[in-house]
Amino acid sequence: TLAIGDRGTVISAPAGDTVIRCRFVNIASIQIPAEGAEHEQLAGGYGIGDVVFSKIDLTDSDGTVTIGERGTVVGSAADDRTKILCRFAQHAWASILPDQLDREVASAPRTL
């Protein structure tokens, strides 16, 4: 069942439609009224779907992330709203502080 305050991800929001399709933890897909959803504000001004690059090395029981690795913001960390939940190639759910992420990686200096 779906309860007020449950966090989910919008998977379809057709322009001009009054309903959106969302995915929640125990619900694969459900349509809800668009006015019944509230956009989550993430730490550091990041948004769900933003491409980020790690500024830290991280290894824990869930995987590894290396400096400069590209990832995607998937939400706020459930245990700490000051952290951002990101998905990386070798780490599905990394909780990282906003100052440990970059929106882009500076390219290496080129010699001519």
XYZ file of all heavy atoms in Angstrom:
824
model
N 0.834 -1.192 0.000
C 0.000 0.000 0.000
C 0.871 1.245 0.000
O 2.002 1.223 0.459
C -0.925 0.032 1.235
O -0.121 0.024 2.391
C -1.892 -1.124 1.233
N 0.297 2.313 -0.490
C 0.987 3.592 -0.582
C 0.454 4.510 0.507
O -0.750 4.614 0.703
C 0.744 4.202 -1.968
C 1.517 5.450 -2.331
C 3.018 5.179 -2.307
C 1.097 5.930 -3.713
N 1.368 5.177 1.236
C 0.967 6.068 2.316
C 1.492 7.473 2.070
O 2.500 7.659 1.370
C 1.512 5.551 3.646
N 0.834 8.461 2.632
C 1.293 9.847 2.532
C 2.704 9.930 3.082
O 2.994 9.410 4.154
C 0.347 10.792 3.294
C -1.020 10.824 2.598
C 0.933 12.192 3.389
C -2.083 11.583 3.358
N 3.582 10.567 2.336
C 4.970 10.723 2.752
C 5.921 9.692 2.173
O 7.130 9.834 2.285
N 5.393 8.624 1.545
C 6.260 7.641 0.894
C 7.053 8.316 -0.212
O 6.529 9.164 -0.934
C 5.446 6.484 0.306
C 4.962 5.499 1.353
O 5.365 5.631 2.518
O 4.166 4.612 0.983
N 8.319 7.923 -0.356
C 9.192 8.482 -1.389
C 9.228 7.546 -2.577
O 9.372 6.340 -2.425
C 10.594 8.677 -0.838
C 10.644 9.743 0.227
C 11.971 9.793 0.938
N 13.040 10.078 0.019
C 14.288 9.653 0.183
N 14.589 8.918 1.218
N 15.219 9.964 -0.679
N 9.098 8.119 -3.766
C 9.142 7.330 -4.980
C 9.841 8.094 -6.083
O 10.330 9.204 -5.885
N 9.867 7.505 -7.266
C 10.502 8.098 -8.437
C 9.487 8.193 -9.556
O 8.810 7.215 -9.865
C 11.691 7.229 -8.901
O 12.607 7.101 -7.813
C 12.408 7.850 -10.088
N 9.396 9.372 -10.178
C 8.512 9.539 -11.325
C 9.153 8.825 -12.508
O 10.316 9.052 -12.827
C 8.292 11.029 -11.654
C 7.481 11.194 -12.932
C 7.622 11.739 -10.491
N 8.382 7.957 -13.146
C 8.914 7.232 -14.311
C 8.223 7.647 -15.601
O 8.706 7.344 -16.682
C 8.844 5.700 -14.111
C 7.421 5.245 -13.783
C 9.803 5.251 -13.038
C 7.266 3.734 -13.675
N 7.110 8.377 -15.487
C 6.410 8.869 -16.667
C 5.514 10.028 -16.259
O 4.749 9.922 -15.303
C 5.564 7.757 -17.293
O 4.778 8.267 -18.343
N 5.635 11.144 -16.976
C 4.806 12.322 -16.711
C 4.450 12.968 -18.036
O 5.046 13.960 -18.433
C 5.540 13.294 -15.800
N 3.477 12.400 -18.750
C 3.106 12.958 -20.054
C 2.656 14.412 -19.943
O 1.906 14.772 -19.032
C 1.945 12.071 -20.507
C 2.068 10.820 -19.703
C 2.688 11.236 -18.403
N 3.120 15.251 -20.870
C 2.749 16.669 -20.881
C 1.239 16.815 -20.964
O 0.582 16.139 -21.747
C 3.423 17.375 -22.055
N 0.698 17.672 -20.132
C -0.728 17.950 -20.140
C -1.579 16.915 -19.430
O -2.787 17.079 -19.307
N -0.984 15.842 -18.959
C -1.747 14.797 -18.264
C -1.896 15.170 -16.794
O -1.051 15.852 -16.223
C -1.030 13.456 -18.393
C -1.986 12.278 -18.342
O -3.104 12.461 -17.829
O -1.604 11.190 -18.793
N -2.955 14.731 -16.170
C -3.199 15.051 -14.763
C -2.704 13.957 -13.827
O -2.799 14.094 -12.618
C -4.706 15.285 -14.509
O -5.411 14.098 -14.853
C -5.211 16.464 -15.313
N -2.180 12.856 -14.385
C -1.623 11.779 -13.563
C -0.180 11.512 -13.975
O 0.219 11.766 -15.108
C -2.442 10.462 -13.662
C -3.831 10.646 -13.099
C -2.487 9.964 -15.079
N 0.587 11.018 -13.030
C 1.968 10.621 -13.302
C 2.135 9.174 -12.865
O 1.435 8.692 -11.983
C 2.989 11.534 -12.581
C 2.733 11.553 -11.057
C 2.959 12.940 -13.160
C 3.734 12.370 -10.269
N 3.048 8.471 -13.508
C 3.340 7.083 -13.140
C 4.610 7.112 -12.296
O 5.612 7.713 -12.660
C 3.522 6.219 -14.375
C 3.741 4.750 -14.028
C 3.582 3.843 -15.232
N 2.221 3.809 -15.724
C 1.210 3.129 -15.179
N 1.406 2.438 -14.079
N 0.012 3.145 -15.712
N 4.548 6.453 -11.126
C 5.666 6.458 -10.181
C 6.027 5.044 -9.757
O 5.205 4.133 -9.836
C 5.293 7.255 -8.932
S 4.881 8.962 -9.269
N 7.272 4.895 -9.287
C 7.745 3.629 -8.731
C 8.096 3.894 -7.264
O 8.772 4.878 -6.944
C 8.973 3.149 -9.494
C 9.559 1.868 -8.967
C 10.755 1.337 -9.748
N 11.504 2.299 -10.496
C 11.585 2.320 -11.836
N 10.961 1.440 -12.549
N 12.304 3.231 -12.445
N 7.616 3.025 -6.385
C 7.913 3.099 -4.958
C 8.580 1.797 -4.544
O 8.600 0.831 -5.310
C 6.630 3.338 -4.152
C 6.045 4.702 -4.367
C 5.153 4.928 -5.400
C 6.396 5.762 -3.555
C 4.614 6.187 -5.624
C 5.873 7.023 -3.759
C 4.972 7.232 -4.803
N 9.126 1.744 -3.339
C 9.903 0.594 -2.882
C 9.178 -0.730 -3.107
O 9.725 -1.650 -3.680
C 10.310 0.758 -1.399
C 10.959 -0.509 -0.874
C 11.246 1.936 -1.239
N 7.950 -0.842 -2.683
C 7.238 -2.117 -2.803
C 6.146 -2.103 -3.873
O 5.297 -2.979 -3.897
C 6.637 -2.518 -1.453
C 7.719 -2.858 -0.451
O 8.680 -3.538 -0.796
N 7.587 -2.384 0.763
N 6.176 -1.077 -4.736
C 5.191 -0.961 -5.802
C 5.950 -0.691 -7.102
O 6.596 0.341 -7.245
C 4.190 0.175 -5.535
C 3.480 -0.037 -4.199
C 3.189 0.281 -6.676
C 2.625 1.133 -3.761
N 5.877 -1.616 -8.044
C 6.628 -1.493 -9.286
C 6.199 -0.264 -10.083
O 7.028 0.453 -10.625
C 6.477 -2.748 -10.128
N 4.905 -0.014 -10.168
C 4.407 1.102 -10.949
C 2.978 1.419 -10.512
O 2.155 0.522 -10.366
C 4.433 0.741 -12.436
O 3.884 1.777 -13.208
N 2.703 2.703 -10.307
C 1.370 3.133 -9.910
C 1.119 4.525 -10.475
O 2.043 5.328 -10.585
C 1.216 3.128 -8.363
C -0.227 3.402 -7.952
C 2.171 4.097 -7.723
C -0.486 3.213 -6.467
N -0.126 4.791 -10.875
C -0.493 6.130 -11.321
C -1.079 6.892 -10.143
O -1.906 6.354 -9.396
C -1.519 6.072 -12.443
C -0.925 5.689 -13.773
C -1.943 5.834 -14.891
O -3.128 5.626 -14.708
N -1.454 6.177 -16.064
N -0.616 8.143 -9.971
C -1.164 9.001 -8.922
C -1.460 10.368 -9.532
O -0.867 10.743 -10.547
C -0.195 9.140 -7.718
C 1.123 9.799 -8.137
C 0.052 7.799 -7.048
C 2.031 10.142 -6.978
N -2.374 11.133 -8.929
C -2.642 12.479 -9.427
C -1.380 13.337 -9.325
O -0.666 13.294 -8.313
C -3.735 13.013 -8.495
C -4.318 11.809 -7.834
C -3.222 10.787 -7.794
N -1.091 14.108 -10.363
C 0.114 14.939 -10.377
C 0.149 15.897 -9.192
O 1.209 16.135 -8.613
C 0.209 15.699 -11.688
N -1.024 16.435 -8.799
C -1.036 17.376 -7.678
C -0.795 16.671 -6.342
O -0.570 17.322 -5.330
C -2.346 18.180 -7.629
C -3.571 17.375 -7.246
C -4.277 16.727 -8.422
O -3.823 16.846 -9.568
O -5.293 16.064 -8.172
N -0.801 15.343 -6.329
C -0.550 14.579 -5.114
C 0.921 14.292 -4.874
O 1.289 13.676 -3.892
N 1.778 14.759 -5.779
C 3.221 14.518 -5.641
C 3.942 15.824 -5.339
O 3.555 16.887 -5.811
C 3.771 13.910 -6.923
N 4.991 15.729 -4.551
C 5.792 16.889 -4.200
C 7.239 16.610 -4.591
O 7.770 15.538 -4.309
C 5.694 17.131 -2.691
C 6.396 18.371 -2.224
C 6.160 18.601 -0.738
O 5.003 18.800 -0.359
O 7.149 18.568 0.022
N 7.873 17.570 -5.272
C 9.261 17.406 -5.705
C 10.178 17.476 -4.490
O 10.084 18.379 -3.665
C 9.642 18.509 -6.698
C 10.945 18.281 -7.370
N 12.146 18.520 -6.764
C 11.240 17.798 -8.588
C 13.129 18.219 -7.589
N 12.600 17.778 -8.703
N 11.060 16.497 -4.362
C 11.982 16.444 -3.228
C 13.145 17.400 -3.437
O 13.765 17.418 -4.491
C 12.501 15.013 -3.085
C 13.388 14.816 -1.893
C 13.810 13.363 -1.728
O 13.758 12.603 -2.697
O 14.181 13.005 -0.612
N 13.440 18.208 -2.427
C 14.587 19.107 -2.460
C 15.804 18.361 -1.924
O 15.764 17.840 -0.815
C 14.318 20.346 -1.599
C 13.165 21.184 -2.094
C 13.427 21.774 -3.471
O 14.504 22.276 -3.752
N 12.441 21.671 -4.341
N 16.860 18.290 -2.715
C 18.057 17.561 -2.317
C 19.133 18.512 -1.820
O 19.197 19.674 -2.236
C 18.590 16.741 -3.488
C 17.620 15.751 -4.126
C 18.298 15.009 -5.260
C 17.084 14.780 -3.102
N 19.990 18.015 -0.976
C 21.100 18.803 -0.439
C 21.987 19.311 -1.575
O 22.136 18.654 -2.605
C 21.916 17.947 0.526
N 22.557 20.484 -1.393
C 23.508 21.030 -2.349
C 22.908 21.497 -3.660
O 23.631 21.807 -4.602
N 21.586 21.535 -3.754
C 20.949 21.980 -4.985
C 20.925 20.942 -6.083
O 20.604 21.248 -7.230
N 21.263 19.703 -5.760
C 21.241 18.629 -6.752
C 19.809 18.170 -6.989
O 18.943 18.340 -6.136
C 22.096 17.446 -6.287
C 23.571 17.714 -6.392
C 24.277 18.215 -5.316
C 24.253 17.473 -7.578
C 25.639 18.472 -5.409
C 25.613 17.724 -7.681
C 26.289 18.227 -6.592
O 27.630 18.488 -6.699
N 19.572 17.585 -8.151
C 18.265 17.054 -8.493
C 18.388 15.614 -8.951
O 19.449 15.183 -9.434
N 17.309 14.875 -8.817
C 17.293 13.491 -9.279
C 17.565 13.466 -10.777
O 17.004 14.250 -11.538
C 15.946 12.831 -8.931
C 15.821 12.712 -7.410
C 15.806 11.477 -9.608
C 14.480 12.255 -6.916
N 18.478 12.594 -11.176
C 18.862 12.481 -12.576
C 20.103 13.283 -12.943
O 20.659 13.105 -14.028
N 20.570 14.176 -12.043
C 21.789 14.943 -12.321
C 22.976 14.001 -12.480
O 23.114 13.033 -11.729
C 22.113 15.923 -11.190
C 21.229 17.147 -11.169
O 20.419 17.315 -12.106
O 21.345 17.937 -10.208
N 23.831 14.302 -13.445
C 25.078 13.555 -13.614
C 26.118 14.191 -12.702
O 26.263 15.418 -12.668
C 25.554 13.590 -15.080
C 26.932 12.965 -15.225
C 24.546 12.876 -15.969
N 26.811 13.349 -11.922
C 27.810 13.825 -10.979
C 29.103 13.027 -11.133
O 29.110 11.957 -11.735
C 27.315 13.716 -9.517
C 26.150 14.652 -9.269
C 26.922 12.287 -9.171
N 30.168 13.583 -10.579
C 31.468 12.922 -10.573
C 31.998 12.938 -9.149
O 31.943 13.963 -8.476
C 32.441 13.624 -11.520
C 32.002 13.554 -12.949
C 31.179 14.534 -13.481
C 32.379 12.492 -13.749
C 30.744 14.461 -14.791
C 31.954 12.404 -15.060
C 31.132 13.397 -15.583
N 32.483 11.801 -8.683
C 32.960 11.667 -7.317
C 34.283 12.400 -7.113
O 35.178 12.321 -7.948
C 33.137 10.188 -6.962
O 33.662 10.066 -5.658
N 34.390 13.090 -5.991
C 35.638 13.731 -5.594
C 36.342 12.919 -4.520
O 37.363 13.348 -3.975
C 35.353 15.146 -5.086
C 34.851 16.076 -6.178
C 34.276 17.370 -5.663
C 35.174 18.210 -4.824
N 34.547 19.507 -4.452
N 35.792 11.729 -4.198
C 36.375 10.875 -3.157
C 36.456 9.428 -3.636
O 35.767 9.027 -4.569
C 35.541 10.913 -1.858
C 34.121 10.364 -2.098
C 35.505 12.309 -1.268
C 33.350 10.043 -0.834
N 37.314 8.676 -2.974
C 37.318 7.220 -3.108
C 36.443 6.686 -1.985
O 36.524 7.158 -0.844
C 38.731 6.653 -2.958
C 39.615 6.941 -4.162
O 39.104 6.933 -5.290
O 40.819 7.176 -3.957
N 35.602 5.715 -2.294
C 34.701 5.137 -1.298
C 34.642 3.633 -1.509
O 34.424 3.166 -2.627
C 33.290 5.726 -1.446
C 32.172 5.072 -0.632
C 32.371 5.352 0.855
C 30.818 5.587 -1.088
N 34.889 2.899 -0.443
C 34.738 1.449 -0.473
C 33.991 1.039 0.782
O 34.373 1.412 1.883
C 36.110 0.743 -0.510
O 36.808 1.154 -1.679
C 35.941 -0.768 -0.544
N 32.891 0.322 0.590
C 32.146 -0.226 1.716
C 31.526 -1.552 1.277
O 31.832 -2.052 0.197
C 31.105 0.767 2.252
C 30.056 1.164 1.227
O 29.822 0.404 0.260
O 29.446 2.229 1.400
N 30.675 -2.117 2.099
C 30.105 -3.433 1.801
C 29.211 -3.434 0.561
O 28.922 -4.491 0.010
C 29.322 -3.957 3.004
O 28.251 -3.085 3.298
N 28.791 -2.240 0.106
C 27.912 -2.148 -1.060
C 28.652 -1.937 -2.376
O 28.030 -1.980 -3.439
C 26.901 -1.024 -0.872
C 25.929 -1.311 0.263
O 25.539 -2.485 0.418
O 25.570 -0.366 0.973
N 29.954 -1.657 -2.320
C 30.708 -1.474 -3.564
C 31.811 -0.452 -3.426
O 32.212 -0.085 -2.322
N 32.283 0.020 -4.586
C 33.376 0.993 -4.612
C 33.061 2.140 -5.570
O 32.348 1.970 -6.553
C 34.708 0.348 -5.055
O 34.538 -0.171 -6.377
C 35.137 -0.763 -4.125
N 33.624 3.302 -5.238
C 33.560 4.486 -6.088
C 34.960 5.074 -6.085
O 35.610 5.114 -5.040
C 32.562 5.531 -5.525
C 32.564 6.787 -6.371
C 31.157 4.949 -5.424
N 35.445 5.528 -7.233
C 36.765 6.139 -7.309
C 36.646 7.606 -7.709
O 35.656 8.021 -8.304
C 37.665 5.412 -8.327
O 37.025 5.429 -9.602
C 37.916 3.975 -7.910
N 37.669 8.375 -7.366
C 37.703 9.793 -7.713
C 37.544 9.935 -9.223
O 38.192 9.242 -9.997
C 39.022 10.440 -7.246
C 39.063 10.477 -5.720
C 39.173 11.851 -7.821
C 40.384 10.930 -5.135
N 36.643 10.833 -9.627
C 36.403 11.098 -11.036
C 35.367 10.201 -11.679
O 34.972 10.421 -12.822
N 34.882 9.198 -10.943
C 33.897 8.276 -11.500
C 32.555 8.978 -11.696
O 32.101 9.744 -10.866
C 33.724 7.064 -10.581
C 32.859 5.992 -11.185
C 32.835 4.719 -10.351
O 33.691 4.555 -9.459
O 31.954 3.893 -10.609
N 31.915 8.689 -12.827
C 30.644 9.298 -13.202
C 29.500 8.527 -12.554
O 29.488 7.302 -12.544
C 30.498 9.242 -14.720
C 29.263 9.890 -15.268
C 29.280 9.740 -16.804
N 28.289 10.553 -17.426
C 27.078 10.139 -17.752
N 26.701 8.899 -17.478
N 26.216 10.947 -18.337
N 28.524 9.261 -12.018
C 27.350 8.640 -11.418
C 26.110 9.460 -11.685
O 26.154 10.494 -12.347
N 24.989 9.007 -11.133
C 23.705 9.680 -11.305
C 23.030 9.833 -9.951
O 22.995 8.891 -9.160
C 22.784 8.859 -12.234
O 23.459 8.636 -13.469
C 21.479 9.586 -12.506
N 22.483 11.012 -9.687
C 21.755 11.259 -8.446
C 20.420 10.528 -8.521
O 19.682 10.656 -9.496
C 21.528 12.773 -8.229
C 20.637 13.024 -7.022
C 22.857 13.505 -8.079
N 20.114 9.752 -7.460
C 18.849 9.016 -7.418
C 17.952 9.463 -6.260
O 16.812 9.017 -6.157
C 19.065 7.483 -7.381
C 19.706 7.013 -8.670
C 19.886 7.064 -6.186
N 18.429 10.361 -5.384
C 17.597 10.868 -4.296
C 18.416 11.290 -3.097
O 19.633 11.435 -3.183
N 17.728 11.475 -1.985
C 18.385 11.788 -0.712
C 18.688 10.483 0.007
O 17.937 9.516 -0.119
C 17.463 12.611 0.188
O 17.325 13.912 -0.284
N 19.758 10.481 0.773
C 20.065 9.312 1.592
C 18.984 9.181 2.655
O 18.631 10.154 3.315
C 21.437 9.457 2.226
N 18.432 7.991 2.815
C 17.332 7.771 3.755
C 17.747 8.022 5.201
O 16.961 8.517 6.001
C 16.799 6.351 3.600
N 18.997 7.717 5.539
C 19.450 7.838 6.922
C 20.018 9.213 7.264
O 20.226 9.527 8.428
C 20.486 6.759 7.237
C 21.716 6.855 6.344
O 21.630 7.459 5.252
O 22.769 6.324 6.729
N 20.279 10.053 6.246
C 20.896 11.358 6.482
C 20.561 12.277 5.313
O 21.171 12.186 4.253
C 22.412 11.190 6.632
C 23.131 12.483 6.969
O 22.511 13.568 6.906
O 24.329 12.414 7.296
N 19.622 13.194 5.501
C 19.154 14.080 4.414
C 20.202 15.088 3.963
O 19.997 15.788 2.987
C 17.881 14.823 4.840
C 16.714 13.937 5.139
C 16.174 13.346 3.880
N 15.013 12.532 4.194
C 14.203 12.062 3.309
N 14.423 12.291 2.059
N 13.189 11.332 3.659
N 21.342 15.190 4.681
C 22.414 16.074 4.226
C 23.259 15.391 3.154
O 24.098 16.019 2.539
C 23.327 16.508 5.391
O 24.007 15.367 5.916
C 22.525 17.195 6.487
N 23.033 14.091 2.947
C 23.769 13.327 1.936
C 22.889 13.047 0.728
O 21.668 13.037 0.826
C 24.272 12.003 2.515
C 25.351 12.178 3.560
C 25.865 10.840 4.010
C 26.999 11.000 5.019
N 27.515 9.689 5.435
N 23.539 12.802 -0.395
C 22.857 12.524 -1.651
C 23.087 11.066 -2.009
O 24.202 10.559 -1.900
C 23.401 13.441 -2.766
C 23.137 14.900 -2.390
C 22.777 13.107 -4.104
C 23.874 15.872 -3.246
N 22.033 10.405 -2.434
C 22.116 9.012 -2.851
C 22.428 8.982 -4.346
O 21.698 9.556 -5.152
C 20.793 8.310 -2.560
C 20.769 6.795 -2.665
C 21.739 6.163 -1.675
C 19.355 6.286 -2.401
N 23.537 8.320 -4.702
C 23.985 8.271 -6.095
C 24.214 6.839 -6.535
O 24.564 5.982 -5.730
C 25.297 9.038 -6.265
S 25.190 10.773 -5.828
N 24.020 6.597 -7.800
C 24.290 5.283 -8.387
C 25.535 5.418 -9.266
O 25.620 6.286 -10.121
C 23.098 4.826 -9.238
C 23.332 3.473 -9.891
C 22.079 2.952 -10.559
N 21.089 2.697 -9.512
C 19.805 2.946 -9.645
N 19.331 3.457 -10.751
N 18.973 2.685 -8.657
N 26.515 4.535 -9.002
C 27.747 4.463 -9.784
C 27.856 3.063 -10.375
O 27.150 2.150 -9.955
C 28.967 4.753 -8.897
C 29.039 6.174 -8.419
C 28.445 6.552 -7.228
C 29.697 7.140 -9.163
C 28.499 7.856 -6.773
C 29.764 8.452 -8.730
C 29.161 8.816 -7.534
N 28.753 2.874 -11.311
C 28.886 1.582 -11.994
C 29.133 0.432 -11.026
O 28.557 -0.651 -11.174
C 30.001 1.647 -13.035
N 29.979 0.636 -10.016
C 30.318 -0.429 -9.071
C 29.723 -0.210 -7.675
O 30.141 -0.835 -6.709
C 31.843 -0.570 -8.964
C 32.526 -0.895 -10.274
C 32.018 -2.200 -10.874
O 31.904 -3.208 -10.190
N 31.710 -2.182 -12.156
N 28.764 0.721 -7.582
C 28.123 1.004 -6.296
C 26.707 1.496 -6.578
O 26.510 2.589 -7.092
C 28.903 2.069 -5.531
C 28.650 2.062 -4.060
N 27.403 2.202 -3.503
C 29.500 1.936 -3.011
C 27.491 2.162 -2.188
N 28.757 2.001 -1.857
N 25.713 0.684 -6.244
C 24.331 1.000 -6.600
C 23.722 2.109 -5.748
O 22.874 2.849 -6.228
C 23.468 -0.253 -6.506
N 24.130 2.239 -4.494
C 23.489 3.195 -3.592
C 24.503 3.894 -2.698
O 24.526 3.681 -1.495
C 22.439 2.497 -2.720
C 21.438 1.734 -3.520
C 21.367 0.381 -3.664
C 20.391 2.266 -4.311
N 20.328 0.053 -4.496
C 19.703 1.183 -4.902
C 19.944 3.567 -4.591
C 18.611 1.361 -5.748
C 18.856 3.732 -5.423
C 18.203 2.648 -5.984
N 25.339 4.743 -3.243
C 26.360 5.451 -2.464
C 25.776 6.727 -1.861
O 25.217 7.559 -2.573
C 27.550 5.795 -3.359
N 25.897 6.886 -0.541
C 25.464 8.105 0.154
C 26.666 9.018 0.290
O 27.640 8.678 0.971
C 24.923 7.761 1.549
O 23.766 6.986 1.452
N 26.599 10.184 -0.347
C 27.757 11.073 -0.432
C 27.333 12.503 -0.104
O 26.261 12.953 -0.520
C 28.378 11.009 -1.845
C 28.815 9.571 -2.160
C 29.540 11.965 -1.979
C 29.432 9.386 -3.522
N 28.187 13.233 0.614
C 27.933 14.641 0.900
C 28.061 15.472 -0.372
O 28.885 15.156 -1.239
C 28.922 15.148 1.961
C 28.737 14.576 3.360
C 29.945 14.896 4.234
C 27.451 15.121 3.990
N 27.284 16.554 -0.504
C 27.333 17.364 -1.728
C 28.717 17.896 -2.071
O 29.077 17.968 -3.246
C 26.379 18.525 -1.425
C 25.454 18.007 -0.396
C 26.260 17.025 0.423
N 29.530 18.245 -1.046
C 30.863 18.784 -1.347
C 31.852 17.695 -1.774
O 32.993 17.983 -2.115
C 31.413 19.600 -0.180
C 31.650 18.783 1.084
O 31.245 17.604 1.129
O 32.249 19.333 2.027
N 31.398 16.432 -1.776
C 32.226 15.325 -2.259
C 31.876 14.951 -3.697
O 32.350 13.956 -4.219
C 32.056 14.115 -1.336
C 32.542 14.384 0.078
C 32.204 13.257 1.033
O 31.183 12.578 0.893
N 33.070 13.044 2.007
N 31.045 15.805 -4.331
C 30.625 15.581 -5.711
C 30.906 16.805 -6.552
O 30.937 17.928 -6.045
C 29.115 15.302 -5.775
C 28.612 14.045 -5.078
C 27.090 14.069 -5.002
C 29.092 12.804 -5.814
N 31.095 16.595 -7.837
C 31.217 17.667 -8.823
C 30.196 17.417 -9.905
O 29.876 16.269 -10.215
C 32.603 17.657 -9.484
C 33.527 18.707 -8.919
O 33.040 19.726 -8.401
O 34.740 18.499 -8.995
N 29.731 18.495 -10.513
C 28.814 18.356 -11.646
C 29.580 18.068 -12.928
O 29.035 17.586 -13.879
C 27.973 19.609 -11.809
C 27.028 19.797 -10.645
C 26.156 21.013 -10.847
N 25.465 21.368 -9.637
C 24.346 20.814 -9.209
N 23.791 19.867 -9.911
N 23.789 21.202 -8.086
N 30.855 18.359 -12.928
C 31.683 18.065 -14.097
C 33.123 17.869 -13.661
O 33.512 18.313 -12.590
C 31.596 19.181 -15.135
C 32.053 20.529 -14.600
C 31.874 21.631 -15.612
O 30.726 21.903 -15.989
O 32.889 22.203 -16.015
N 33.908 17.199 -14.476
C 35.308 16.948 -14.180
C 36.155 17.829 -15.080
O 35.927 17.887 -16.291
C 35.676 15.464 -14.409
C 37.160 15.254 -14.277
C 34.928 14.575 -13.425
N 37.106 18.537 -14.493
C 38.006 19.350 -15.297
C 38.889 18.431 -16.125
O 39.402 17.429 -15.640
C 38.864 20.219 -14.380
N 39.051 18.763 -17.385
C 39.881 17.913 -18.256
C 41.354 18.140 -17.936
O 41.745 19.195 -17.444
C 39.595 18.211 -19.720
O 39.844 19.567 -19.992
N 42.132 17.128 -18.223
C 43.572 17.200 -17.968
C 44.215 18.240 -18.893
O 43.770 18.419 -20.031
C 44.196 15.839 -18.187
N 45.260 18.921 -18.423
C 45.950 19.896 -19.288
C 46.529 19.214 -20.524
O 46.998 18.082 -20.442
C 47.060 20.455 -18.397
C 46.891 19.870 -17.048
C 45.855 18.813 -17.118
N 46.448 19.907 -21.625
C 46.974 19.345 -22.885
C 48.264 20.059 -23.247
O 48.373 21.260 -23.095
C 45.962 19.533 -24.005
C 44.713 18.706 -23.779
C 43.647 19.002 -24.778
N 44.146 18.947 -26.138
C 43.438 19.234 -27.205
N 42.183 19.619 -27.052
N 43.931 19.162 -28.401
N 49.226 19.312 -23.707
C 50.468 19.917 -24.201
C 50.399 19.973 -25.710
O 49.968 19.002 -26.360
C 51.698 19.110 -23.755
O 51.524 17.747 -24.132
C 51.889 19.197 -22.244
N 50.787 21.084 -26.240
C 50.743 21.268 -27.701
C 52.128 21.218 -28.286
O 53.086 21.496 -27.747
C 50.074 22.590 -28.062
C 48.648 22.713 -27.545
C 48.155 24.123 -27.816
C 47.767 21.709 -28.238
